[in-house]
PDB file of all heavy atoms in Angstrom:
ATOM      1  N   GLN G 223      98.014  84.417 117.832  1.00 95.00           N
ATOM      2  CA  GLN G 223      99.189  83.633 117.459  1.00 95.00           C
ATOM      3  C   GLN G 223     100.253  84.534 116.793  1.00 95.00           C
ATOM      4  O   GLN G 223     101.430  84.407 117.073  1.00 95.00           O
ATOM      5  CB  GLN G 223      98.761  82.523 116.497  1.00 95.00           C
ATOM      6  CG  GLN G 223      99.715  81.358 116.489  1.00 95.00           C
ATOM      7  CD  GLN G 223      99.226  80.239 115.555  1.00 95.00           C
ATOM      8  OE1 GLN G 223      98.341  80.444 114.721  1.00 95.00           O
ATOM      9  NE2 GLN G 223      99.830  79.064 115.688  1.00 95.00           N
ATOM     10  N   LEU G 224      99.778  85.449 115.930  1.00 97.00           N
ATOM     11  CA  LEU G 224     100.707  86.406 115.293  1.00 97.00           C
ATOM     12  C   LEU G 224     101.376  87.245 116.384  1.00 97.00           C
ATOM     13  O   LEU G 224     102.565  87.533 116.327  1.00 97.00           O
ATOM     14  CB  LEU G 224      99.951  87.328 114.329  1.00 97.00           C
ATOM     15  CG  LEU G 224      99.610  86.763 112.931  1.00 97.00           C
ATOM     16  CD1 LEU G 224      98.635  87.680 112.199  1.00 97.00           C
ATOM     17  CD2 LEU G 224     100.889  86.596 112.100  1.00 97.00           C
ATOM     18  N   GLU G 225     100.577  87.661 117.368  1.00 97.00           N
ATOM     19  CA  GLU G 225     101.129  88.479 118.464  1.00 97.00           C
ATOM     20  C   GLU G 225     102.195  87.700 119.214  1.00 97.00           C
ATOM     21  O   GLU G 225     103.272  88.217 119.500  1.00 97.00           O
ATOM     22  CB  GLU G 225      99.989  88.872 119.413  1.00 97.00           C
ATOM     23  CG  GLU G 225     100.431  89.809 120.523  1.00 97.00           C
ATOM     24  CD  GLU G 225      99.310  90.122 121.516  1.00 97.00           C
ATOM     25  OE1 GLU G 225      98.201  89.561 121.373  1.00 97.00           O
ATOM     26  OE2 GLU G 225      99.550  90.937 122.433  1.00 97.00           O
ATOM     27  N   LYS G 226     101.896  86.428 119.509  1.00 95.00           N
ATOM     28  CA  LYS G 226     102.863  85.612 120.232  1.00 95.00           C
ATOM     29  C   LYS G 226     104.136  85.426 119.441  1.00 95.00           C
ATOM     30  O   LYS G 226     105.232  85.299 120.010  1.00 95.00           O
ATOM     31  CB  LYS G 226     102.259  84.241 120.584  1.00 95.00           C
ATOM     32  CG  LYS G 226     101.292  84.330 121.767  1.00 95.00           C
ATOM     33  CD  LYS G 226     100.807  82.952 122.180  1.00 95.00           C
ATOM     34  CE  LYS G 226      99.878  83.032 123.384  1.00 95.00           C
ATOM     35  NZ  LYS G 226      99.108  81.785 123.566  1.00 95.00           N
ATOM     36  N   ALA G 227     104.031  85.401 118.101  1.00 93.00           N
ATOM     37  CA  ALA G 227     105.220  85.241 117.256  1.00 93.00           C
ATOM     38  C   ALA G 227     106.027  86.554 117.192  1.00 93.00           C
ATOM     39  O   ALA G 227     107.139  86.570 116.708  1.00 93.00           O
ATOM     40  CB  ALA G 227     104.820  84.824 115.850  1.00 93.00           C
ATOM     41  N   GLY G 228     105.421  87.657 117.673  1.00 95.00           N
ATOM     42  CA  GLY G 228     106.167  88.906 117.731  1.00 95.00           C
ATOM     43  C   GLY G 228     105.528  90.102 117.049  1.00 95.00           C
ATOM     44  O   GLY G 228     106.107  91.193 117.049  1.00 95.00           O
ATOM     45  N   ALA G 229     104.337  89.924 116.457  1.00 97.00           N
ATOM     46  CA  ALA G 229     103.701  91.042 115.739  1.00 97.00           C
ATOM     47  C   ALA G 229     103.287  92.142 116.725  1.00 97.00           C
ATOM     48  O   ALA G 229     102.703  91.869 117.763  1.00 97.00           O
ATOM     49  CB  ALA G 229     102.496  90.560 114.948  1.00 97.00           C
ATOM     50  N   ASP G 230     103.627  93.392 116.376  1.00 97.00           N
ATOM     51  CA  ASP G 230     103.251  94.545 117.221  1.00 97.00           C
ATOM     52  C   ASP G 230     101.952  95.187 116.764  1.00 97.00           C
ATOM     53  O   ASP G 230     101.157  95.655 117.554  1.00 97.00           O
ATOM     54  CB  ASP G 230     104.386  95.595 117.156  1.00 97.00           C
ATOM     55  CG  ASP G 230     105.693  95.036 117.638  1.00 97.00           C
ATOM     56  OD1 ASP G 230     105.917  95.066 118.854  1.00 97.00           O
ATOM     57  OD2 ASP G 230     106.480  94.530 116.808  1.00 97.00           O
ATOM     58  N   VAL G 231     101.772  95.247 115.432  1.00 98.00           N
ATOM     59  CA  VAL G 231     100.560  95.841 114.856  1.00 98.00           C
ATOM     60  C   VAL G 231     100.016  94.814 113.854  1.00 98.00           C
ATOM     61  O   VAL G 231     100.786  94.216 113.101  1.00 98.00           O
ATOM     62  CB  VAL G 231     100.886  97.125 114.062  1.00 98.00           C
ATOM     63  CG1 VAL G 231      99.606  97.809 113.619  1.00 98.00           C
ATOM     64  CG2 VAL G 231     101.729  98.053 114.905  1.00 98.00           C
ATOM     65  N   VAL G 232      98.700  94.628 113.880  1.00 98.00           N
ATOM     66  CA  VAL G 232      98.094  93.596 113.017  1.00 98.00           C
ATOM     67  C   VAL G 232      96.921  94.197 112.256  1.00 98.00           C
ATOM     68  O   VAL G 232      96.244  95.120 112.742  1.00 98.00           O
ATOM     69  CB  VAL G 232      97.606  92.386 113.841  1.00 98.00           C
ATOM     70  CG1 VAL G 232      96.777  91.411 113.004  1.00 98.00           C
ATOM     71  CG2 VAL G 232      98.784  91.648 114.475  1.00 98.00           C
ATOM     72  N   SER G 233      96.678  93.694 111.039  1.00 98.00           N
ATOM     73  CA  SER G 233      95.460  94.040 110.343  1.00 98.00           C
ATOM     74  C   SER G 233      94.906  92.825 109.625  1.00 98.00           C
ATOM     75  O   SER G 233      95.649  91.917 109.284  1.00 98.00           O
ATOM     76  CB  SER G 233      95.725  95.166 109.332  1.00 98.00           C
ATOM     77  OG  SER G 233      94.838  96.203 109.590  1.00 98.00           O
ATOM     78  N   ILE G 234      93.596  92.838 109.445  1.00 98.00           N
ATOM     79  CA  ILE G 234      92.938  91.726 108.761  1.00 98.00           C
ATOM     80  C   ILE G 234      92.767  92.108 107.287  1.00 98.00           C
ATOM     81  O   ILE G 234      92.173  93.141 106.986  1.00 98.00           O
ATOM     82  CB  ILE G 234      91.537  91.468 109.398  1.00 98.00           C
ATOM     83  CG1 ILE G 234      91.679  91.268 110.895  1.00 98.00           C
ATOM     84  CG2 ILE G 234      90.855  90.285 108.726  1.00 98.00           C
ATOM     85  CD1 ILE G 234      90.364  91.397 111.632  1.00 98.00           C
ATOM     86  N   ALA G 235      93.310  91.272 106.417  1.00 96.00           N
ATOM     87  CA  ALA G 235      93.255  91.573 104.978  1.00 96.00           C
ATOM     88  C   ALA G 235      91.956  91.096 104.375  1.00 96.00           C
ATOM     89  O   ALA G 235      91.901  90.173 103.581  1.00 96.00           O
ATOM     90  CB  ALA G 235      94.444  90.902 104.280  1.00 96.00           C
ATOM     91  N   CYS G 236      90.859  91.742 104.783  1.00 94.00           N
ATOM     92  CA  CYS G 236      89.516  91.334 104.337  1.00 94.00           C
ATOM     93  C   CYS G 236      88.532  92.422 104.756  1.00 94.00           C
ATOM     94  O   CYS G 236      88.382  92.672 105.953  1.00 94.00           O
ATOM     95  CB  CYS G 236      89.143  89.999 104.977  1.00 94.00           C
ATOM     96  SG  CYS G 236      87.419  89.558 104.826  1.00 94.00           S
ATOM     97  N   ASN G 237      87.893  93.054 103.791  1.00 93.00           N
ATOM     98  CA  ASN G 237      86.934  94.099 104.128  1.00 93.00           C
ATOM     99  C   ASN G 237      85.756  93.555 104.937  1.00 93.00           C
ATOM    100  O   ASN G 237      85.390  94.141 105.952  1.00 93.00           O
ATOM    101  CB  ASN G 237      86.433  94.774 102.848  1.00 93.00           C
ATOM    102  CG  ASN G 237      87.339  95.909 102.391  1.00 93.00           C
ATOM    103  OD1 ASN G 237      87.339  96.988 102.971  1.00 93.00           O
ATOM    104  ND2 ASN G 237      88.139  95.662 101.367  1.00 93.00           N
ATOM    105  N   THR G 238      85.194  92.429 104.475  1.00 91.00           N
ATOM    106  CA  THR G 238      83.966  91.911 105.072  1.00 91.00           C
ATOM    107  C   THR G 238      84.140  91.602 106.572  1.00 91.00           C
ATOM    108  O   THR G 238      83.210  91.738 107.357  1.00 91.00           O
ATOM    109  CB  THR G 238      83.502  90.648 104.323  1.00 91.00           C
ATOM    110  OG1 THR G 238      83.763  90.841 102.924  1.00 91.00           O
ATOM    111  CG2 THR G 238      82.044  90.386 104.521  1.00 91.00           C
ATOM    112  N   SER G 239      85.356  91.164 106.950  1.00 94.00           N
ATOM    113  CA  SER G 239      85.591  90.813 108.367  1.00 94.00           C
ATOM    114  C   SER G 239      85.509  92.035 109.269  1.00 94.00           C
ATOM    115  O   SER G 239      85.527  91.893 110.502  1.00 94.00           O
ATOM    116  CB  SER G 239      86.975  90.190 108.539  1.00 94.00           C
ATOM    117  OG  SER G 239      87.069  89.007 107.810  1.00 94.00           O
TER     118      SER G 239
END
Side-chain angles (χ1 to χ4, degrees):
Chain G
Q223 203 178 15
L224 281 168
E225 184 184 4
K226 283 185 179 164
D230 301 274
V231 187
V232 171
S233 235
I234 306 163
C236 167
N237 274 285
T238 322
S239 298

